[in-house]
Amino acid sequence: DVKVTQSSRYLVKRTGEKVFLECVQDMDHENMFWYRQDPGLGLRLIYFSYDVKMKEKGDIPEGYSVSREKKERFSLILESASTNQTSMYLCASSLSDSQETQYFGPGTRLLVL
Amino acid sequence: AQKVTQAQTEISVVEKEDVTLDCVYETRDTTYYLFWYKQPPSGELVFLIRRNSFDEQNEISGRYSWNFQKSTSSFNFTITASQVVDSAVYFCALSGIMYSGGGADGLTFGKGTHLIIQP
């Protein structure tokens, strides 16, 4: 079975803090994704990566950056957390073809005070 | 631009009733994939089905069935004899255009339908 894990289920941070959200997959998938989910807005793509050290902006990259130093790990970074980044963050991975199924982690609920 | 519309924000039915969740999509691609995911209260998105644009056959898996109609750009999901465990938010999603560099693109999601099955 595909396994995608995220470092924290719940996280509370203060405005201005640097926040790292970690995602690890164990299926040797080439592609990894970060989404955020907000009530009434569904899931929106923040960033994705199709290879180590490669990254592409999604629909809402502002205020975020990412890092992919190893194939299995994809990190989302909030350089200076703000209250409007309070959200549910979901990581996903898939095989190389863009049409492949994306498998999701359990999500991280981030609260920025 | 791609778009997925799930017009039903919330549906509530009594257990054992059949229920259909609607999904309408827009895309300029001739080749694309459609997906359904289930998100139970625990929060994790669970993959249910993937269907490519060239395969319009209906699919049945136990109590779940899917009706893909390219002519109306719809990919509807029916649960037969619903159970309380089916209560969740269900998302319909559409695959992105292949990135020109040969990589991937994210899925375009609908806003989800919250399904409540009452005992």
Side-chain angles (χ1 to χ4, degrees):
Chain A
D1 282 350
V2 177
K3 190 70 174 179
V4 180
T5 57
Q6 294 182 229
S7 52
S8 305
R9 292 300 302 272
Y10 301 94
L11 210 51
V12 180
K13 296 292 180 181
R14 296 211 172 270
T15 302
E17 280 192 75
K18 190 169 186 175
V19 182
F20 292 87
L21 302 182
E22 306 285 342
C23 176
V24 177
Q25 50 93 5
D26 66 357
M27 285 304 292
D28 203 33
H29 284 172
E30 288 79 11
N31 303 328
M32 296 188 76
F33 307 83
W34 276 107
Y35 295 85
R36 66 177 280 177
Q37 181 181 9
D38 301 288
L41 297 178
L43 277 78
R44 294 177 292 167
L45 181 65
I46 304 171
Y47 266 97
F48 65 96
S49 168
Y50 57 89
D51 201 352
V52 175
K53 297 191 184 296
M54 305 304 291
K55 60 183 179 183
E56 292 295 328
K57 293 179 180 179
D59 300 319
I60 51 165
E62 296 78 19
Y64 303 94
S65 62
V66 290
S67 173
R68 192 162 181 204
E69 297 296 319
K70 294 184 178 181
K71 190 176 184 180
E72 68 271 18
R73 187 179 298 269
F74 192 35
S75 302
L76 180 68
I77 304 159
L78 286 65
E79 294 289 343
S80 178
S82 62
T83 54
N84 62 12
Q85 292 179 310
T86 291
S87 186
M88 170 74 139
Y89 290 88
L90 290 157
C91 175
S93 72
S94 73
L95 290 169
S96 58
D97 193 305
S98 72
Q99 316 284 17
E100 290 291 335
T101 300
Q102 292 184 21
Y103 294 93
F104 285 81
T108 296
R109 292 191 183 275
L110 173 66
L111 173 62
V112 182
L113 299 174
Chain B
Q2 299 189 97
K3 186 177 180 181
V4 175
T5 301
Q6 294 179 255
Q8 304 149 310
T9 304
E10 184 173 290
I11 299 174
S12 182
V13 300
V14 177
E15 197 171 20
K16 298 183 183 175
E17 286 186 21
D18 299 347
V19 58
T20 295
L21 309 182
D22 298 333
C23 173
V24 174
Y25 62 92
E26 297 174 26
T27 181
R28 293 181 183 176
D29 290 340
T30 54
T31 303
Y32 52 89
Y33 278 76
L34 292 159
F35 303 80
W36 276 95
Y37 286 86
K38 174 182 179 180
Q39 187 178 41
S42 60
E44 183 170 350
L45 263 74
V46 177
F47 165 71
L48 295 178
I49 189 171
R50 178 179 76 145
R51 172 54 55 88
N52 83 52
S53 53
F54 295 106
D55 181 4
E56 291 195 63
Q57 281 194 344
N58 290 338
E59 180 151 344
I60 298 173
S61 176
R63 297 184 296 107
Y64 294 173
S65 63
W66 290 269
N67 179 255
F68 176 32
Q69 293 198 340
K70 211 167 180 178
S71 60
T72 56
S73 297
S74 65
F75 186 43
N76 296 336
F77 172 32
T78 297
I79 301 175
T80 303
S82 61
Q83 299 176 4
V84 172
V85 293
D86 296 326
S87 296
V89 180
Y90 290 86
F91 290 95
C92 180
L94 174 66
S95 63
I97 299 168
M98 174 74 78
Y99 174 66
S100 60
D105 202 347
L107 295 174
T108 299
F109 283 84
K111 293 184 179 180
T113 297
H114 185 198
L115 177 63
I116 300 168
I117 310 297
Q118 299 178 16

